[in-house]
Amino acid sequence: MNDAVNHPTLAAALAHSRYLASLFQRTPALAERTAAELAQPFDLAAMQAMLTPTETDEAAFKRQLRQLRQAVMARLIARELGGLSDLDEALRTVSDLADLTVCAALQWAIAREDRYGRPIGEDTGAPQQLIVVGMGKLGGHELNVSSDIDLIFVYDEAGETDGERRISNQEYFTLIGKKLINLLADVTEDGFVFRVDMRLRPFGDSGALVSSFAALENYLLTQGREWERYAWIKGRALSGDDSGLMQLISPFVYRKYLDYGAYASMRELHSQIRREVARRDMAENIKLGPGGIREIEFIGQVFQLIRGGRVKTLQERSTRATLRELARLNLLAGDSVDELLAAYEFLRNLEHRLMYLDDAQTQMLPGNDEDKGRIARAMGHPDWTAFSTALERHRAIVTRHFEQVFVLPADQDRIHPHATLWQNAENGDDTAQGLARLGYADAAEIQRRLAMFRGSGRYQQMSERSQRRIGAILPPLIEVAAGYPNPDDTFTRILDLLEAIGRRESYLALLAEHPQTLKRLADLYSASPWVSQYLTRHPILLDELLDQRLLYQAPDWNAAGEAIRHELAQVEDDTEAKMDLLRHFQHTQVFRLVAQDIAGLLPLEKLSDHLSDLADLVLAVTMEEAWRELPRRHVEEPQFAAIGYGKLGGKELGYASDLDLVFVYDDDHPDAAENYARFAKKIVNWLNAPTPAGILYDIDLRLRPNGSSGLLVSTVEAFEQYQCDSAWVWEHQALTRARFVAGDVRVGRSFEAVRDAVLRRQRDLPALTAEVVKMRNRMLETHPERPGEVKHCRGGIVDVEFIVQFLILGYAWLYPDLTANRGNIALLATAATHNLIDATTADTARATYRALRRLQHASRLAGRDPTPEALAPLAEGMATVRALWQTLLGES
């Protein structure tokens, strides 16, 4: 053994670990082998080479398993304490050891239990397997070096064995499970392999050792508690039918909706741990104590419980992978995640060094000076004082982040000064007087609404917890809404929301757990009835109020496209889930733009650009997914393009705009026409089919060649022929605002070339003038002028659009830059540079058009037409537009 001890790296490990010194004292050959192979990690292949599963003698097989564990531990301790490995290697090595030994023990036990034959399922008649589920850190591939392993035993179907002596599958798998536990946990002269903890199974120690799928499912549905959801996050099948198990477990762990009730559940679980730590004087426990490993795990897991049902990438078992995903999704700040990862690595390394001392499962800091010195040096510090400073810094960081995530809101139902306005809502005079003092205009009506809500069956049927949350939310909302110029409207709109979500406990939990969202909610509900209706229709968007940083962040459409494509890829073949995911993505982006719009962060032109870019992105992603689903595709990538007309084509999209689309393709394959027609139908279905998440966009296809009677898709050649030979002038007017928005770039370029050629044809000006005037008069017949309407009135939005279209069709043959799809404001300036219109007149028309669009946008948000007072400042500009119309088109 002397040579091994004198090995410099091995000596460092021996100086720290009494367990290793004792092990090498008993097994000198292991010391020699460890020193000789120290440069190489103990990988899974090397572990497998040490096992001979054909060994029939139980004592010999146990010895093999235990000697394997000793060899792995010896090299791991020596490598880690000698600076040759890192935390990743340690976790992977110990987890691989557990996986291998559990499966080897299972196979050995089954092979030696031949008295009863094979277990057969009574429904399928198929042989059954024992699914050994690794829980906790084993499930997450994060096992400690001296940890217990938490296991649960499950099998698929009830039934019985097919041998001469028949027993039930339950009895058979119980025998196998007991043997597996004994093979791993029995303490022999060679020690043990892993201590096995079965307390996470249904009903704990008092429950059956094994469960069928049916029994497990029934337990989770009727008895499953919140802490078991938390535990099953890391559940992983080490053997047997993993996919079948996860289909059963996932709905229990991950809700389809955003589950903000998880905050309270996780907070209560943490409080129980804290109480136990205090009772047992375990403040020095680096796992369970303040700022410990468990708090880091809780931070990741609460986001998983809340969002994992909707965001599949959060269904991670690894703590570190989960934290990194939270940063990628912007659910936690990158700096915060970096600090938590650094603390986690520090604490897990410390945990291992504590366990290396005596191969004991402990997370308690040592109390004697000798071990304190060993730990400090093993952690790279000269003494205990320096080490303690580093440890406390990491624990303080963890505590800070934990409290930021799990901050406990005040019990507003009892302490808020306006709580009585809700609690005594039925007391009309007192409540109304209190509301009037706060500034409500029709306090009696607000009191009546509160009383109706409190006395409604919907409220009375809520759980006690939901009623407490309503009681915590409403008093501060009454106060917040009173601070707006329109308190009655603001509060009644929010009350409509609370009535709509009253049975969705998760949304109430979100508002109760995050009181800071109430002011942001009131900002939006005060500003616009359209916004309040949108949010009430899609309450899942309440989640967006939590992070002001994200809510007001300028969109990055490339990054957003990567993110939604990544999320869709996780869903695999569930079309409805993908459609819902895409709808939620679109609703989220629209809501963020609304918030920025109301906050005054986006000029209307920029807002329209963003809404158009969003539609382009959604169309592109929809086409990718729809083509993937199309059976009998004749090419890998469709030679097909979507063309945007109208507001989409002109990049002037509003919040509730339809998408005017035309589909074209350029493909000579015999199946192209049929396949692309089916493809177009599928695209439209993806976009406007109602699902539980709503719709994406209303689609209008009437601008395609021959309108509603025409083919759904056209070749580029047929489209060109139609535009040249058959199209009406109004169709060429529409073409001025058309652009390629999604699909094959080559086909898009072909369309743009056709568009350019058609628009640049020389036209007879008198005939063109007559057709444009005729179309404008026809529009006035269906959309006559009315007070406060800014689109169709003379001198309004449509007149400016027609003027620009006339200039393009009449003069693009002389001035090709008029065909650029740059928007009406820019094209008026272009026309002025070519002296087609007076520059001053052009500037006035541009300013008027911009002001009219802004007024139109504001009126839609406000839910009413502009007032005469709002239109008065634009009277002169609109008169200039009317005069410009008369100058160009000779008609007043």
Side-chain angles (χ1 to χ4, degrees), residues 191 344 738 831:
Y344 184 81

Side-chain angles (χ1 to χ4, degrees), residues 808-869:
I808 294 170
L809 295 177
Y811 298 99
W813 69 278
L814 285 172
Y815 308 112
D817 55 350
L818 284 170
T819 64
N821 198 320
R822 297 167 53 218
N824 292 311
I825 292 172
L827 288 171
L828 283 169
T830 301
T833 64
H834 297 307
N835 296 315
L836 297 174
I837 56 177
D838 174 71
T840 302
T841 299
D843 288 342
T844 302
R846 293 170 71 209
T848 302
Y849 181 73
R850 181 182 287 113
L852 286 167
R853 282 200 63 219
R854 290 175 178 172
L855 195 56
Q856 180 190 50
H857 177 69
S859 69
R860 285 176 176 170
L861 284 179
R864 58 179 180 271
D865 287 338
T867 62
E869 292 77 16

Side-chain angles (χ1 to χ4, degrees), residues 143-212:
L143 198 59
N144 293 329
V145 292
S146 297
S147 177
D148 294 357
I149 55 174
D150 294 296
L151 301 180
I152 294 177
F153 297 147
V154 188
Y155 63 96
D156 191 343
E157 293 181 54
E160 62 179 17
T161 59
D162 61 358
E164 291 185 7
R165 296 176 57 191
R166 297 192 175 192
I167 58 174
S168 69
N169 290 350
Q170 179 78 19
E171 293 171 300
Y172 174 81
F173 285 125
T174 299
L175 288 174
I176 298 299
K178 287 179 178 178
K179 176 55 68 177
L180 186 153
I181 294 169
N182 178 266
L183 289 170
L184 297 176
D186 185 33
V187 179
T188 71
E189 61 183 12
D190 297 302
F192 60 91
V193 188
F194 287 101
R195 293 173 291 266
V196 178
D197 191 334
M198 300 295 299
R199 289 175 295 175
L200 292 178
R201 70 185 188 268
F203 300 107
D205 284 339
S206 62
L209 188 66
V210 297
S211 298
S212 67

Side-chain angles (χ1 to χ4, degrees), residues 67 89 232 282 295 389 391 430 435 674 732 836 846:
Q67 288 175 350
E89 181 182 320
W232 272 103
M282 294 168 61
E295 289 187 353
T389 300
L391 172 61
D430 289 349
L435 292 166
E674 180 182 353
H732 288 169
L836 297 174
R846 293 170 71 209

Side-chain angles (χ1 to χ4, degrees), residues 539-675:
I540 193 171
L541 297 173
L542 289 169
D543 176 60
E544 293 297 310
L545 299 175
L546 294 179
D547 191 339
Q548 195 165 3
R549 176 178 53 93
L550 282 180
L551 188 62
Y552 298 114
Q553 186 179 73
D556 179 340
W557 298 116
N558 288 331
E562 290 179 9
I564 185 59
R565 288 180 173 98
H566 181 72
E567 289 188 44
L568 288 166
Q570 309 303 310
V571 180
E572 297 177 348
D573 297 327
D574 189 338
T575 298
E576 184 172 342
K578 286 186 175 184
M579 292 172 76
D580 279 347
L581 193 61
L582 194 55
R583 280 154 175 72
H584 178 56
F585 167 79
Q586 192 261 3
H587 297 159
T588 297
Q589 302 305 319
V590 168
F591 183 68
R592 290 178 182 177
L593 292 173
V594 165
Q596 294 173 39
D597 179 16
I598 287 175
L601 301 178
L602 286 177
L604 178 58
E605 291 79 5
K606 191 64 177 175
L607 171 65
S608 293
D609 284 345
H610 281 319
L611 288 169
S612 301
D613 289 341
L614 171 60
D616 291 0
L617 173 58
V618 170
L619 269 168
V621 173
T622 295
M623 289 168 66
E624 292 162 12
E625 294 296 331
W627 184 254
R628 228 175 258 126
E629 286 190 343
L630 199 72
R632 301 186 302 279
R633 299 187 299 272
H634 64 282
V635 287
E636 190 62 32
E637 297 295 334
Q639 298 164 35
F640 178 100
I643 310 302
Y645 274 70
K647 286 186 169 57
L648 175 62
K651 300 203 80 169
E652 292 183 346
L653 217 57
Y655 292 125
S657 298
D658 296 352
L659 299 189
D660 292 298
L661 294 176
V662 168
F663 298 124
V664 296
Y665 68 94
D666 187 9
D667 188 337
D668 294 332
H669 193 282
D671 297 333
E674 180 182 353
N675 279 350

Side-chain angles (χ1 to χ4, degrees), residues 29 53 123 136 144 180 343 392 463 532 539 706 747 752 763 769 826 847:
D123 294 328
N144 293 329
L180 186 153
E392 289 311 309
S463 67
S532 63
N706 294 307
V747 179
E752 296 289 356
R763 292 171 172 82
T769 301

